[in-house]
Each structure stands twice: as structure tokens, then as C-alpha cells.
Amino acid sequence: MIDLFSQNCPCCDSAKVDVRTRYTTQNNGTHPIYHCRSCDIYFSDTFATPMAGLRTPLSRIIEVLKARTEGQGLNATARIFGVSKKSIIDWEWRLSELKPALTLYGLCHQFLALVIEGDELYTKVHHNSAASESEGWTIVLMERSSRFLWELNCGAKDQTLFEEALQLLCKVIEQTQDLTLLTDGERRYGKILFAICHEVFRTGQPGRPAKRLRKGVRVRLKNKGSKKRPGRKRPKYQAPVPEHPETDTRIENAQIHANHVEAFNASLRRRNSAFRRKTNMYAKTRDNLQRTLDLQWLIHNFVRVHFTTKVVPAVKLGILEIGLSWMELFSIRYAF
């Protein structure tokens, strides 16, 4: 199991390290200097962490980032706390770059059964354009019982955006015995998942063997809207792609919805100023929007106690025993 706070050598990953000396910073206390007996290098405990090279007190940085993750705009935060926008953006980038490491940490765990809801929300990027042309579409894949976010990624609403999200979902499928994906109206979730996560089912009959979703994987779609086609009636609940015959396909119709992720979308509009309605506070670039989403992903999954479950989502899912603090986030290395 990966140790988030390991002080092994960053060069050779050896545990044969000892404290050689200590140094004192102006605002962030005293830190040890380690020596690796295997490759004979010296390194600080802040090496390759968001804390490396920071001169501003961590307590003040945390206050600023808390305001940002609770919906304060970038300009307003800079005015209130008397810091430059460039500094705030730098601090957000430092934390957002932890997402790959913590995603890998989550994928190292085994799960018995997961129910994942998929949905999208939209904001403007750079200028006011048609929704179909914007890069502000954000895909959300949320585990229902724990409220853990597996994916929170933005871009143009095209094939690439869905493929990137479902590639991660395929890695989650490899770590669970039973996975159900529920969506409201968007068929590309099922079609793309089927394209990249299927297996050939051989029945012994002549002809080309049929393709099916992997055993234990279910996809359900709730058709929404009022489109009526003459001559045929579209079912309200359906499986948009073929499933494995040995998979238990029983799901109550009342359970086929994305209500929990819709509630998260509403909270994200309050907690991320780039998603405000009826304002000009939209993101300037796609990368900047993704930076704020990655920060929200970290705080939602590993720090903030969810108001419904009363625990941190990563704890509810079984990834952590207790939630992380802001100070601990700054102590995690970018790469293991």
C-alpha cells in the first residue's frame, strides 16, 4: 500500500534514511534534512511537495484557499486578504497538481460494489459563446453512497472529453467486482464505455462471437425530454449497450437517476466562482478552469466532511481512515 506521507528517498525509494540536520524557516517552522544511505543524497521533508519554497505562512495560505473553495472570486479574494492574484493562482496550482497522486492512491484499493452517477454541467470560458462551442463543459462521475468524485474534468463536449473520463472509470472497474453506471439522458457514457471496456462472449454457436460489457458491469440510462417519434415509444429506463449474461441486471427503476450528482452540481455553482449564473465571472482559459476544479476535487474528496454522510467521502469509501487536514495536503509528495 502506498504511504501518502512516506519519507523514503525520492531518488531510489530506499527506507534507509536518517535525519542529518535541521533548518528553520522564517514563517513555516523547523524542517529536517534527511540523508539517504543507499544513494548518498540529502533532501528536505518538503522536497517535491506543495510546501517546497513557500515563504508565506501556511496558515495564511490555507485561509486564502478556504475562501476560494467556498465560492470567493479571485479578484475579491486578492482584495480581502491583501495578496496578489498571481500568488493565489500559484498556490492553487501547487495543490491541484496533487490530483494524479491521490487518484493513483484511490485506485490502489479494492471495492466490492460501486454505483456511479454521471452527469455534466456547463460554464463559459474566455468569452460568451454558444454552449456547443464552449470548453466549459464539466463531466462529473460520483460514487453514490460515499459521494466520492472519481472524475471532475472540463473541456469541449466532444468524444475526447467522454473518453478521458471513461478511461479512468475502466481503471475503477478493474478494482471492483460489481459496478453500475447511471446517467440521465446522455448515451455516450454507455457507448464509449462499451467500446473501451468490453469482452468477447463465446457461446459455442457458429459465427462471430458477440461483444458484451465485462462481467459485473451495468449501465442504465434514464431517458429525459419530450421527444416523440411516430411509430415507436422510447422506454424511460433502458440499458443502452449489451451486458454480460452472467451479470445481475436487476435494478429498480426508482434507483436509475443522477440526483446526487445533480445536487453536487448545484453546490459547485456556489463554491466555484467560474460557474456562477448571470455574471461575467467566467473562467479565462480551460486550464485555469481545470485548476479550480482539481482544487475542488481534492477538498471535496479528502478534506471536507459531507453534510449528508457526515464523513469525508474518502473515509466513507474506505480509502482513508480519517480525513486529511489542509496542512497534511501541503505535505504530500507529487510523485511516489
Side-chain angles (χ1 to χ4, degrees):
M1 181 61 65
I2 295 174
D3 183 4
L4 286 176
F5 305 102
S6 171
Q7 290 301 336
N8 289 354
C9 175
C11 183
C12 64
D13 198 33
S14 171
K16 298 178 180 179
V17 298
D18 47 23
V19 178
R20 183 54 57 94
T21 184
R22 296 181 183 273
Y23 68 99
T24 302
T25 62
Q26 185 175 359
N27 295 307
N28 292 318
T30 301
H31 297 276
I33 294 290
Y34 294 95
H35 174 245
C36 175
R37 298 194 301 272
S38 297
C39 59
D40 194 29
I41 67 166
Y42 295 83
F43 61 96
S44 170
D45 64 335
T46 63
F47 177 80
T49 69
M51 195 188 302
L54 287 178
R55 296 183 179 181
T56 307
L58 268 182
S59 57
R60 183 162 180 78
I61 295 175
I62 291 171
E63 287 180 358
V64 172
L65 295 183
K66 279 184 177 179
R68 286 284 287 150
T69 56
E70 290 298 334
Q72 197 73 48
L74 181 61
N75 291 329
T77 305
R79 290 193 302 267
I80 292 170
F81 291 94
V83 296
S84 69
K85 292 191 292 183
K86 184 177 179 181
S87 295
I88 298 175
I89 292 172
D90 174 63
W91 300 336
E92 290 182 352
W93 274 121
R94 285 171 177 263
L95 279 188
S96 67
E97 290 173 357
L98 288 175
K99 184 180 179 181
L102 289 175
T103 300
L104 176 61
Y105 182 76
L107 290 172
C108 289
H109 294 74
Q110 296 287 333
F111 309 102
L112 293 178
L114 296 178
V115 177
I116 294 180
E117 298 180 8
D119 201 9
E120 316 85 44
L121 70 159
Y122 160 76
T123 188
K124 297 178 286 185
V125 172
H126 188 267
H127 60 279
N128 191 5
S129 60
S132 59
E133 300 175 359
S134 176
E135 293 185 334
W137 285 96
T138 301
I139 284 187
V140 185
L141 295 178
M142 172 184 280
E143 204 283 316
R144 175 175 285 179
S145 64
S146 64
R147 309 302 201 272
F148 187 88
L149 295 175
W150 280 109
E151 185 62 287
L152 191 62
N153 194 31
C154 70
K157 194 176 181 181
D158 54 16
Q159 189 85 353
T160 302
L161 182 65
F162 285 89
E163 285 179 353
E164 290 176 354
L166 293 173
Q167 287 285 359
L168 175 63
L169 189 59
C170 286
K171 296 179 181 178
V172 178
I173 289 173
E174 294 175 357
Q175 300 299 109
T176 183
Q177 301 174 5
D178 186 350
L179 187 138
T180 304
L181 174 62
L182 306 174
T183 69
D184 279 358
E186 179 56 70
R187 296 175 176 272
R188 275 181 285 190
Y189 288 106
K191 291 180 179 179
I192 297 176
L193 182 64
F194 180 72
I196 61 180
C197 183
H198 66 265
E199 62 182 47
V200 175
F201 182 69
R202 302 183 185 275
T203 62
Q205 301 295 324
R208 181 178 297 175
K211 293 181 180 179
R212 295 288 186 268
L213 279 177
R214 292 185 184 178
K215 182 180 177 181
V217 181
R218 296 181 291 262
V219 179
R220 290 293 183 277
L221 170 72
K222 180 180 180 181
N223 288 317
K224 301 176 71 174
S226 57
K227 291 184 179 179
K228 295 183 179 179
R229 297 183 177 132
R232 66 175 183 175
K233 182 179 180 181
R234 187 172 65 173
K236 188 173 183 180
Y237 307 98
Q238 66 179 126
V241 292
E243 297 173 354
H244 198 282
E246 297 181 14
T247 300
D248 184 4
T249 59
R250 293 172 296 177
I251 303 178
E252 295 182 8
N253 288 344
Q255 299 298 318
I256 305 175
H257 60 78
N259 296 346
H260 299 86
V261 73
E262 290 280 6
F264 168 78
N265 292 349
S267 69
L268 185 63
R269 294 191 181 278
R270 297 192 303 269
R271 288 179 164 144
N272 191 323
S273 60
F275 284 88
R276 297 285 165 76
R277 297 182 184 271
K278 298 181 180 179
T279 71
N280 290 324
M281 298 173 64
Y282 47 80
K284 300 302 183 288
T285 66
R286 174 182 173 179
D287 288 343
N288 286 330
L289 177 59
Q290 188 62 56
R291 182 195 74 241
T292 63
L293 290 173
D294 289 346
L295 184 60
Q296 291 285 348
W297 184 90
L298 288 173
I299 304 307
H300 174 91
N301 282 339
F302 297 95
V303 177
R304 185 185 292 133
V305 174
H306 197 275
F307 75 99
T308 300
T309 62
K310 309 303 180 186
V311 292
V312 175
V315 176
K316 181 72 173 178
L317 190 60
I319 294 175
L320 297 175
E321 294 183 0
I322 58 174
L324 301 177
S325 67
W326 281 87
M327 296 289 287
E328 287 174 330
L329 278 183
F330 278 93
S331 302
I332 298 174
R333 286 186 186 171
Y334 292 123
F336 299 106

